[in-house]
Amino acid sequence: MSTLTIRSLRKNFGAVEVLKGIDLEAQNGEFIALVGPSGCGKSTLLAMIAGLESVTSGEIRIDGRLVNSVAPKDRDIAMVFQSYALYPTMTVRENITFGMESRRVPKPQQDEAVKRVAAFLQIEPLLGRKPGQLSGGQRQRVAMGRALVRDPKLFLFDEPLSNLDAKLRVDMRTEIKKLHHRVGKTTVYVTHDQVEAMTLASRIAVMHQGEVQQFDEPATIYNRPANMFVAGFMGSPAMNFLPAELSEEGGRPAVALQTADGKTASLPIVQALPSDTPRQLILGIRPEHIYRFDPDLARRKPGIAQIDAVVELVEPTGAETMAVLRLSGKEITGRFDPDGTPGMGETVTLGIDMARACLFDPTTQRLI
Amino acid sequence: MSNHDLILSVPAPARPWRERLGSAMPLLVLGPSLVASFVYVFVFTGWTLYISISNSSLLPTYGLVGLDNYASLWANRRWNIAYNNLFLFSGFYIVGSMAVGLLLAILIDQRVRGEAAWRTIFLYPLAVSFIVTGTVWSWLYNPVDGIQAMVRGFGWTSFSFALASDRHYAIYAVIITGVWQASGFAMALFLAGLRSVDQDLVKAAQIDGASTFRIYRKVLLPTIAPIFLAVAVIQIQFAIKTFDLVAALTKGGPGISTTFPAIYVYDLMFQRGQIGEGAAAAIMMLAALAVVLVPYSFWVVWRRRKEAGHG
Amino acid sequence: MADATLDQSLDHRAATVAARRHFLTRLVIYGLLVVFAAIYLIPLLVVVLNSFRDQQEIARNGLISLPRSFRLDAWGQAWSTYCIGGTCEGMQRNFYNSLKMTIPATIISTAVGAMNGYILSKWRFRGSEALFTCMLLGVFIPGQISLMPWAFILGNLGLSNSVYGLVLIHVIQGISFTTLFCRNYYVSIPDDLIKAARIDGAGFWRIFRKIILPLSSPILIVTVIWQFTGIWNEYLFGVVFTSGQQQPITAALVALTASGTNVRAYDVMSAAVLIGALPPLLIYLFGGKYFVRGLTQGAIK
Ligand SMILES: Nc1ncnc2c1ncn2[C@@H]1O[C@H](COP(=O)(O)OP(=O)(O)O)[C@@H](O)[C@H]1O
Ligand SMILES: [Mg+2]
């Protein structure tokens, strides 16, 4: 049973305010991902949870206990670093037992714990080696072993996979997910990789410039991003933003867009609009909600709007093909089935899934 | 801002004394060194500055005489020679040791065999004191027993090499000896610098068809420019503080031709009992150092800022 | 067919030209290295040879000549019987003085520097950078500035004309250097290691002992060599603050070579010079490789 609660947490480095009032909580056993661009304050926040950085103001509670000025060693946490931070002069075994030795855990108990963790992570053959003799993936495992052996209340990960190559990263991601299932500890996981956040977390906090932009479940973050930053940051290729004007079509609200030939096209809005909706809007559409118009599909699925666009560039990736299209004077990306890929320079009729579209207020950048 | 602090600051729970001691430990350990360094840097300098404007002679006394000591210092021909020598020596010593050091570094950088042996040979003078170097070279310069005697012994009886005994040229004897002693150190730093340059740069230049000479001139040397400055600054310090070398090599002679400020300070303070004027001379040495080091430190700070800004 | 052979012979000619140029370049490189090596080694060689030559033979043939005699007397005289300024005990006492001064001063200043460097790189606090800069200034202060204050302080502590006074001076003066070296080196040890250790429950001393110290050998070697050679070779403080039997070896060497009897005892002086140069030379020969490596790794930045 362990929870984490953070209230109005602020951090200044000299005159620079790095964290501007963070609110966050993790329930028992929950996997929270902190995601955001580099320099947004993720590591600082994690270091404050760990007790490695002092708190300027606000509070951090672990299991309801205020830990603002509790030393790191007394917070009952474990942390895995991006650089792994394995002690280079010690063997893997010594790395793992260093913490227990600091806490004067009796030797037999240490051996027991090492055996358990090494078996769990399958690193028994590595115990006698030094970190310098390990591959990236092995170091990563040892770093996790060092964290696991403590059996802490809270696991903290700071971009643990970003030093691995692409394939290994995916494997380790799966392992971390399995591990969390088996151990079931409350976890805070920092990453700048939105895919990692989406796949691992039960809830995601998207951070930008020292503030939490949105803190919610992955599906909500993806489908109903609170603002244009979150919308743009989560998802790859990123969501397309098109400036549009509020209009009407057949008595129902719609957004008007300029098409390639200079005409105006009206796309019906599916969602209910609040009364104070501004006239100028930003229409946000994810690439996977743009496809070649298909009358059958449109009949079956309401809210698919039809519009013409010119294909400027085609980027096949194998499983799918990205096409850069010119629409309303802007470049947008659409995701196509490799079989139905349009040719370059071709004018295609697109079907846009307006049921999945997001509307933003251009002045506040917030979701409408 | 302060509002937040008031509302949100949480009373820290009373911490056990061990923990409080633990968090004060860094300062406790650093404290004595800080005090000592502070005294050494500021109190000592201030003290000497004070003596330099006092009427101290055999013992420090504290009647102020303003700048009299400085005036009489600069009125003295010997001091003027010493100060001139300092600049002459510093210039040649630094340029000379860097030039020789760079040449040696580039030679060794050509994938020569037995690199470690060459390096050891060129670097060993660094381990030897200026006293030893000065003593041995004073023998070599000695016309009766040294190089001159050797060449004459070969049969060239009119050969003359009396650098150190000629008042016009003795300073160059000091310079040569200094360069001999210091160029190995410059070599080591330059070599390390050359080795630390990203080899892809060199490869790129080779693919561009640049000759070895051009690669050094256009790619390698510009890349290690900061090392030039670092070496120069280190050498300048040696140059200004040089006391031992001259004391062992020429003792300031012949006559007063190789007097240096460092020698002069020593003479005033401990041979002639003019402490006040000696302190003034020491302060002038510090001033000469400051002329070089103050701009350098500004440059270092500026560069660090710039790097931090980029990072 | 004819063209092909022509091409081949052209290729061949170009290859020989290139090979010859390469050979010439190598010749120049090695030639220069040999010349410089001679310039660097001859003074050492001269002293070594003269320390084994007969004094009369040196007087007859000059300092720089092939030895025609071989004796070990000079070493014994220089060590234990030669007269310097009235006492006839050779250099041995001064040699021990230098050891008594250099070893403690080196150890203390290195230890203090390592602690300071550790704190200033891994336990930074508000203003620690400024304090570091102040300490750095100590590197630049010429010894002449501190002569009068030291004379006063040593006098009051009763340490004038004593090796312990010199130890004190060298420790205080050395702290700036050792701190600078160690700090610059420790900065390159990742902070994450310290953070991980703190989470693991290690405190100030345990982190130093278990994590920093095992990583320190490169910089400790540099610092020890730097301090040992610097202190052993130092002359100004030695000659100012000690006299006669308390003098370190550098001061004694100057006194010895200056003691103007009419026949210059080059044999004994050569042996004395070598005795004075030997400890730092040995240290350098064994540690020089690490010294250069460490110096460029951290000390000079
Ligand atoms: N010790 C520090 N002193 C001053 N500024 C810092 C310090 N640590 C981090 N910062 C600044 O705080 C901001 C957030 O850093 P960080 O938490 O490391 O970002 P992230 O982990 O999200 O990339 C950055 O702009 C960084 O420059
Ligand atoms: Mg980070």
Side-chain angles (χ1 to χ4, degrees):
Chain A
M1 156 69 206
S2 42
T3 60
L4 170 71
T5 317
I6 292 170
R7 291 253 162 71
S8 322
L9 191 69
R10 286 169 189 276
K11 177 70 185 176
N12 289 27
F13 285 118
V16 188
E17 195 169 32
V18 173
L19 295 181
K20 303 164 185 170
I22 303 284
D23 290 291
L24 215 61
E25 40 111 32
Q27 255 122 51
N28 187 31
E30 208 179 358
F31 197 116
I32 302 284
L34 297 179
V35 64
S38 180
C40 70
K42 307 178 299 281
S43 295
T44 307
L45 175 54
L46 203 67
M48 286 167 83
I49 298 172
L52 298 167
E53 291 282 1
S54 65
V55 172
T56 304
S57 72
E59 49 182 61
I60 303 173
R61 289 176 185 275
I62 297 176
D63 269 355
R65 165 182 172 227
L66 186 70
V67 294
N68 278 22
S69 48
V70 174
K73 66 180 164 75
D74 301 324
R75 293 192 183 196
D76 209 358
I77 48 158
M79 185 160 170
V80 177
F81 294 83
Q82 175 175 359
S83 61
Y84 313 137
L86 299 177
Y87 311 124
T89 53
M90 302 181 198
T91 62
V92 167
R93 176 188 295 278
E94 288 164 339
N95 262 282
I96 294 176
T97 55
F98 183 77
M100 289 188 284
E101 244 158 44
S102 300
R103 281 160 229 278
R104 307 217 164 77
V105 174
K107 194 88 178 117
Q109 234 165 297
Q110 290 185 18
D111 292 341
E112 185 62 33
V114 171
K115 211 186 269 173
R116 178 173 51 82
V117 167
F120 189 79
L121 289 170
Q122 297 162 354
I123 51 173
E124 292 111 324
L126 309 179
L127 285 175
R129 296 206 208 155
K130 296 261 174 82
Q133 304 164 307
L134 303 179
S135 70
Q138 291 171 331
R139 280 181 216 179
Q140 170 64 51
R141 275 169 191 280
V142 174
M144 293 214 287
R146 188 172 62 182
L148 272 176
V149 79
R150 297 248 300 96
D151 193 23
K153 281 196 176 131
L154 205 56
F155 269 121
L156 306 177
F157 289 85
D158 192 355
E159 310 210 9
L161 303 183
S162 39
N163 282 350
L164 300 177
D165 56 49
K167 167 127 178 50
L168 203 52
R169 199 179 316 160
V170 176
D171 293 347
M172 287 307 293
R173 195 171 74 199
T174 317
E175 295 240 0
I176 291 181
K177 184 144 194 169
K178 278 191 210 151
L179 190 109
H180 181 248
H181 268 291
R182 287 172 65 181
V183 184
K185 292 278 178 193
T186 314
T187 301
V188 182
Y189 185 101
V190 165
T191 176
H192 65 260
D193 179 349
Q194 39 99 17
V195 181
E196 257 170 47
M198 293 289 293
T199 44
L200 289 171
S202 54
R203 277 194 289 172
I204 298 176
V206 182
M207 289 181 62
H208 183 46
Q209 298 183 336
E211 288 177 284
V212 173
Q213 304 289 319
Q214 189 172 10
F215 179 43
D216 220 320
E217 283 162 18
T220 314
I221 298 258
Y222 193 75
N223 295 320
R224 302 297 297 159
N227 56 38
M228 285 176 67
F229 174 80
V230 176
F233 189 79
M234 302 299 287
S236 168
M239 182 183 270
N240 299 297
F241 295 117
L242 291 165
E245 204 168 324
L246 196 61
S247 67
E248 255 181 38
E249 166 128 331
R252 291 179 48 87
V255 285
L257 285 179
Q258 307 277 314
T259 56
D261 45 13
K263 283 188 243 148
T264 314
S266 241
L267 313 181
I269 296 174
V270 175
Q271 69 184 91
L273 288 180
S275 55
D276 59 348
T277 307
R279 292 214 57 80
Q280 300 296 327
L281 293 170
I282 305 259
L283 173 65
I285 315 156
R286 294 208 179 272
E288 63 266 34
H289 300 136
I290 299 176
Y291 14 73
R292 197 186 271 278
F293 183 72
D294 175 356
D296 290 342
L297 186 66
R299 227 168 291 126
R300 270 184 281 122
K301 208 169 157 187
I304 296 198
Q306 195 179 337
I307 193 164
D308 285 350
V310 182
V311 179
E312 300 215 316
L313 195 70
V314 181
E315 294 175 328
T317 66
E320 60 203 7
T321 298
M322 307 297 164
V324 179
L325 308 147
R326 182 155 291 274
L327 182 62
S328 202
K330 299 203 81 176
E331 285 186 348
I332 63 168
T333 310
R335 217 172 211 173
F336 290 81
D337 195 320
D339 298 333
T341 308
M344 274 211 252
E346 194 183 313
T347 303
V348 282
T349 306
L350 301 174
I352 295 180
D353 189 348
M354 289 301 285
R356 309 296 298 272
C358 299
L359 293 173
F360 299 97
D361 180 336
T363 45
T364 63
Q365 309 226 318
R366 300 197 148 279
L367 184 74
I368 295 170
Chain B
M1 184 62 243
S2 55
N3 248 347
H4 288 301
D5 284 347
L6 280 181
I7 300 167
L8 297 169
S9 68
V10 186
R15 288 192 289 165
W17 67 269
R18 267 192 75 107
E19 209 162 285
R20 253 183 287 166
L21 182 71
S23 58
M25 191 58 83
L27 260 181
L28 277 178
V29 175
L30 198 59
S33 305
L34 285 178
V35 172
S37 297
F38 179 82
V39 169
Y40 180 68
V41 172
F42 295 106
V43 177
F44 280 19
T45 306
W47 196 339
T48 300
L49 193 64
Y50 190 89
I51 294 176
S52 79
I53 52 171
S54 73
N55 57 1
S56 311
S57 53
L58 261 178
L59 288 169
T61 49
Y62 297 101
L64 290 184
V65 292
L67 296 177
D68 286 6
N69 286 323
Y70 291 90
S72 83
L73 186 68
W74 283 103
N76 190 316
R77 197 170 83 86
R78 200 176 149 219
W79 170 255
N80 282 288
I81 290 178
Y83 220 66
N84 275 342
N85 277 342
L86 177 62
F87 283 97
L88 195 67
F89 174 77
S90 301
F92 278 105
Y93 169 78
I94 291 158
V95 173
S97 62
M98 283 174 68
V100 175
L102 185 61
L103 175 65
L104 291 175
I106 292 179
L107 287 175
I108 291 182
D109 197 31
Q110 305 307 310
R111 302 213 186 97
V112 293
R113 275 161 194 269
E115 177 182 326
W118 297 114
R119 261 204 332 238
T120 310
I121 291 173
F122 299 134
L123 199 54
Y124 89 87
L126 185 67
V128 177
S129 63
F130 272 130
I131 295 296
V132 165
T133 306
T135 306
V136 174
W137 279 82
S138 75
W139 299 346
L140 299 181
Y141 288 130
N142 182 332
V144 184
D145 306 302
I147 295 172
Q148 179 175 309
M150 174 189 75
V151 178
R152 286 190 181 173
F154 291 154
W156 181 1
T157 45
S158 62
F159 178 80
S160 162
F161 181 77
L163 215 52
S165 358
D166 185 318
R167 62 171 57 242
H168 295 296
Y169 297 110
I171 183 73
Y172 296 99
V174 181
I175 289 169
I176 290 173
T177 313
V179 170
W180 180 86
Q181 167 111 7
S183 43
F185 182 58
M187 180 271 307
L189 292 183
F190 283 135
L191 189 59
L194 288 174
R195 293 285 158 81
S196 71
V197 175
D198 181 2
Q199 284 304 303
D200 285 353
L201 271 183
V202 178
K203 283 181 203 151
Q206 278 170 344
I207 290 169
D208 282 343
S211 64
T212 309
F213 178 73
R214 263 177 65 83
I215 291 178
Y216 274 100
R217 213 167 61 93
K218 296 284 188 185
V219 179
L220 289 172
L221 299 187
T223 315
I224 62 166
I227 295 191
F228 280 81
L229 205 58
V231 173
V233 167
I234 295 169
Q235 303 286 35
I236 283 175
Q237 289 190 65
F238 278 126
I240 292 179
K241 297 173 188 174
T242 293
F243 170 71
D244 331 21
L245 180 62
V246 185
L249 187 61
T250 62
K251 311 224 161 18
I256 54 173
S257 61
T258 55
T259 308
F260 275 66
I263 301 264
Y264 197 68
V265 170
Y266 175 79
D267 276 1
L268 282 176
M269 284 184 174
F270 302 105
Q271 309 288 327
R272 296 203 253 146
Q274 295 176 2
I275 287 176
E277 204 175 320
I283 293 292
M284 292 317 301
M285 284 179 67
L286 184 64
L289 255 176
V291 166
V292 180
L293 289 177
V294 169
Y296 174 72
S297 48
F298 275 115
W299 181 81
V300 168
V301 169
W302 174 79
R303 198 180 60 155
R304 220 181 268 167
R305 287 258 168 81
K306 212 177 74 168
E307 269 168 17
H310 280 292
Chain C
M1 183 68 215
D3 275 5
T5 35
L6 191 67
D7 272 2
Q8 257 176 24
S9 76
L10 270 181
D11 273 2
H12 189 71
R13 276 250 295 285
T16 32
V17 169
R20 190 173 308 150
R21 261 190 61 185
H22 176 78
F23 177 74
L24 281 178
T25 325
R26 301 310 281 178
L27 200 68
V28 171
I29 289 171
Y30 283 103
L32 281 171
L33 283 174
V34 168
V35 169
F36 273 103
I39 295 173
Y40 277 86
L41 285 176
I42 282 174
L44 180 66
L45 199 66
V46 166
V47 187
V48 172
L49 291 179
N50 285 331
S51 72
F52 296 114
R53 287 168 74 195
D54 183 83
Q55 191 179 325
Q56 268 93 44
E57 194 232 308
I58 299 177
R60 214 169 34 239
N61 297 337
L63 273 164
I64 317 171
S65 92
L66 288 178
R68 278 168 215 152
S69 52
F70 181 83
R71 299 162 31 136
L72 291 170
D73 303 14
W75 285 84
Q77 280 183 44
W79 179 250
S80 53
T81 59
Y82 197 74
C83 302
I84 312 163
T87 44
C88 294
E89 294 185 344
M91 313 276 295
Q92 54 178 326
R93 192 183 289 273
N94 307 103
F95 188 88
Y96 290 133
N97 285 344
S98 274
L99 278 183
K100 272 197 285 186
M101 163 181 82
T102 308
I103 292 174
T106 301
I107 292 175
I108 297 172
S109 61
T110 303
V112 172
M115 288 310 306
N116 289 348
Y118 167 55
I119 294 166
L120 291 170
S121 61
K122 296 291 172 242
W123 295 83
R124 283 183 224 174
F125 46 89
R126 188 171 304 196
S128 62
E129 289 291 300
L131 291 177
F132 174 58
T133 313
C134 285
M135 291 184 80
L136 266 197
L137 290 176
V139 170
F140 303 115
I141 305 283
Q144 282 77 7
I145 288 283
S146 60
L147 285 176
M148 278 295 118
W150 275 130
F152 178 84
I153 289 175
L154 294 186
N156 278 295
L157 292 177
L159 292 176
S160 329
N161 198 19
S162 111
V163 168
Y164 302 108
L166 293 180
V167 170
L168 179 68
I169 293 178
H170 287 303
V171 166
I172 303 280
Q173 224 203 347
I175 286 177
S176 308
F177 276 101
T178 56
T179 302
L180 169 71
F181 284 7
C182 294
R183 192 207 85 119
N184 281 356
Y185 180 80
Y186 289 153
V187 160
S188 65
I189 296 179
D191 285 347
D192 279 357
L193 284 185
I194 312 302
K195 292 181 186 169
R198 283 177 63 198
I199 291 177
D200 271 344
F204 180 83
W205 292 108
R206 189 167 152 82
I207 294 176
F208 183 68
R209 255 194 2 256
K210 292 285 181 176
I211 293 168
I212 298 289
L213 216 48
L215 288 170
S216 298
S217 27
I219 198 62
L220 291 185
I221 290 173
V222 170
T223 313
V224 164
I225 293 182
W226 182 274
Q227 285 299 93
F228 188 96
T229 51
I231 296 172
W232 182 277
N233 291 338
E234 204 279 338
Y235 171 64
L236 177 65
F237 293 120
V239 76
V240 168
F241 294 120
T242 56
S243 59
Q245 305 213 327
Q246 297 298 316
Q247 283 195 328
I249 198 148
T250 43
L253 261 183
V254 172
L256 181 146
T257 49
S259 60
T261 45
N262 33 9
V263 188
R264 305 205 73 188
Y266 279 122
D267 55 341
V268 179
M269 290 196 288
S270 292
V273 158
L274 285 176
I275 291 173
L278 216 48
L281 262 183
L282 285 181
I283 289 222
Y284 164 75
L285 279 183
F286 288 114
K289 199 171 64 183
Y290 307 101
F291 179 68
V292 174
R293 197 186 299 158
L295 203 60
T296 48
Q297 258 177 13
I300 312 276
K301 262 200 190 145

